[in-house]
Amino acid sequence: AQSVTQLGSHVSVSEGALVLLRCNYSSSVPPYLFWYVQYPNQGLQLLLKYTTGATLVKGINGFEAEFKKSETSFHLTKPSAHMSDAAEYFCAVSASGNTPLVFGKGTRLSVIA
Amino acid sequence: EAGVAQSPRYKIIEKRQSVAFWCNPISGHATLYWYQQILGQGPKLLIQFQNNGVVDDSQLPKDRFSAERLKGVDSTLKIQPAKLEDSAVYLCASSLAGNEQFFGPGTRLTVL
């Protein structure tokens, strides 16, 4: 069985500040890990994913995440927040590329001017 | 490339009524998923199709929910009868084998 825990249902940062959204996972098999972003009244958009290989993954809009097996973590970061980053962010895990995603409860990111 | 299409975008019904949602995946995507996203939670899988066959429906409440994917392309999800707790966003996603899932905009269902 797989599960995802996202620490903090709401994170607020100032524009230009570091963004750090935390994600810990549990998986009985080597995980595939994902971060999705959801804007109001829209579907989910993939930010980045880890399958195998390099543990530091770069995604769209300046986001990146690092897979740390020893810590079972896949935290999402961005050096400088922009107002347009305000959205809901979901971390997800799957057993392979063709199996359903198991999502965390999400973290709402607010960016303050 | 056109994305995943879903309709309707919004639906309001009374409890015990029936409702159906439609999904048109990206052309050529053999795998189709339906997820339920309750307010304040992450999406949860309801059913997974591979072409027109069901791969996983273990979390589908089969006493009231049904889904089909005729001809391995479009899919419909039906709820009959609806309960208050079915109020949620229903997301459809599709993928090529072993690749990224692409999500549609979702259908927001309100059950009164």
Side-chain angles (χ1 to χ4, degrees):
Chain A
Q2 297 174 308
S3 66
V4 172
T5 301
Q6 291 185 241
L7 298 176
S9 59
H10 183 209
V11 171
S12 185
V13 300
S14 297
E15 191 174 20
L18 171 72
V19 175
L20 170 60
L21 304 182
R22 298 178 187 273
C23 171
N24 288 89
Y25 70 90
S26 173
S27 178
S28 56
V29 298
Y32 284 42
L33 294 161
F34 306 81
W35 275 99
Y36 282 85
V37 61
Q38 186 176 38
Y39 297 99
N41 299 316
Q42 295 186 27
L44 299 168
Q45 180 184 10
L46 182 67
L47 279 177
L48 49 80
K49 64 180 178 182
Y50 169 80
T51 54
T52 59
T55 57
L56 182 62
V57 180
K58 295 186 184 299
I60 61 172
N61 301 337
F63 285 94
E64 62 181 38
E66 186 171 10
F67 170 58
K68 292 187 176 181
K69 183 178 178 180
S70 61
E71 298 177 9
T72 61
S73 69
F74 191 58
H75 301 330
L76 181 71
T77 60
K78 181 175 181 177
S80 177
H82 191 272
M83 296 297 288
S84 61
D85 294 327
E88 189 89 16
Y89 291 80
F90 292 94
C91 182
V93 63
S94 71
S96 72
N98 202 36
T99 56
L101 297 167
V102 175
F103 287 88
K105 290 187 175 182
T107 298
R108 182 163 60 92
L109 176 66
S110 297
V111 182
I112 303 168
Chain B
E1 177 182 85
V4 176
Q6 291 188 247
S7 67
R9 289 296 312 277
Y10 305 91
K11 189 73 176 178
I12 300 174
I13 62 172
E14 296 189 349
K15 60 183 179 182
R16 291 188 290 273
Q17 285 187 323
S18 301
V19 66
F21 313 129
W22 174 81
C23 172
N24 185 21
I26 294 172
S27 178
H29 282 195
T31 308
L32 185 147
Y33 307 83
W34 283 101
Y35 290 88
Q36 180 193 56
Q37 185 178 15
I38 293 173
L39 185 65
Q41 299 182 23
K44 184 187 76 171
L45 178 75
L46 290 174
I47 190 167
Q48 176 187 358
F49 291 95
Q50 181 72 21
N51 295 309
N52 60 351
V54 175
V55 175
D56 183 353
D57 65 354
S58 59
Q59 299 183 78
L60 186 74
K62 298 181 186 63
D63 58 333
R64 298 184 300 107
F65 286 64
S66 64
E68 61 182 8
R69 190 182 184 196
L70 300 176
K71 301 181 181 180
V73 181
D74 294 6
S75 177
T76 56
L77 176 69
K78 297 179 181 178
I79 307 175
Q80 180 179 8
K83 292 186 176 182
L84 295 177
E85 58 260 38
D86 298 332
S87 294
V89 175
Y90 291 85
L91 294 165
C92 179
S94 70
S95 71
L96 288 171
N99 284 293
E100 173 189 348
Q101 292 184 29
F102 292 84
F103 285 81
T107 295
R108 182 178 298 277
L109 173 67
T110 301
V111 182
L112 303 176

